[in-house]
Amino acid sequence: MIENIRVEELPAEQAAVVHGRCLPEEIGDFVGAAFGEVLAVLGEQGLTPTGPPLCRYSTGEGGMDQDGAAVVFTLAAGFPSSGPVEPAGRVEPMTLPAGSAVTLMHVGAYTGLGEAYAAAARWMDEQGLEGD
């Protein structure tokens, strides 16, 4: 299910994330483990999550098939945090940049993310918006 597609003005935020590259079928396991690692490190460092979990997806060289579908994703999965995290294990600090962002809520399996991306792209087209 896809809900609440809209443009939001987001402030810059500190985050704690785990970076990785995954095949689509590996994303659920990667993200679940990353969220657990980040929460543990935040707790150890006296920091707290300041918002819902996040996962930034992108594709890079070798990340698309001949039809333009993502084959390999580069991910950063974690949480916005109450302060900068010190690197620990796979957990690293990240600054989420300020700016306009198209946001939506996808509720369901990771295998349905393609539908969410398509809905966001259609909505952006309807609104006359272009991504970076």
Side-chain angles (χ1 to χ4, degrees):
M1 179 170 48
I2 300 161
E3 302 174 353
N4 301 324
I5 301 176
R6 64 186 180 278
V7 174
E8 290 187 54
E9 291 300 320
L10 302 176
E13 283 188 276
Q14 296 293 320
V17 299
V18 173
H19 292 277
R21 283 181 57 86
C22 298
L23 298 170
E25 61 271 15
E26 299 169 337
I27 292 173
D29 289 340
F30 174 84
V31 170
F35 289 166
E37 290 174 46
V38 168
L39 288 172
V41 169
L42 289 176
E44 290 166 4
Q45 294 185 16
L47 300 168
T48 57
T50 58
L54 64 96
C55 192
R56 295 182 76 178
Y57 299 81
S58 62
T59 57
E61 187 175 326
M64 304 294 273
D65 68 15
Q66 64 187 12
D67 297 321
V71 176
V72 177
F73 288 96
T74 299
L75 307 172
F79 292 85
S81 60
S82 58
V85 67
E86 292 295 322
R90 298 192 312 159
V91 177
E92 301 175 2
M94 178 177 176
T95 300
L96 302 172
S100 299
V102 172
T103 65
L104 62 80
M105 175 70 69
H106 165 74
V107 179
Y110 286 100
T111 56
L113 281 177
E115 179 184 330
Y117 282 118
R122 281 191 306 275
W123 187 86
M124 289 175 65
D125 189 51
E126 291 166 2
Q127 305 299 315
L129 301 172
E130 294 182 22
D132 290 346

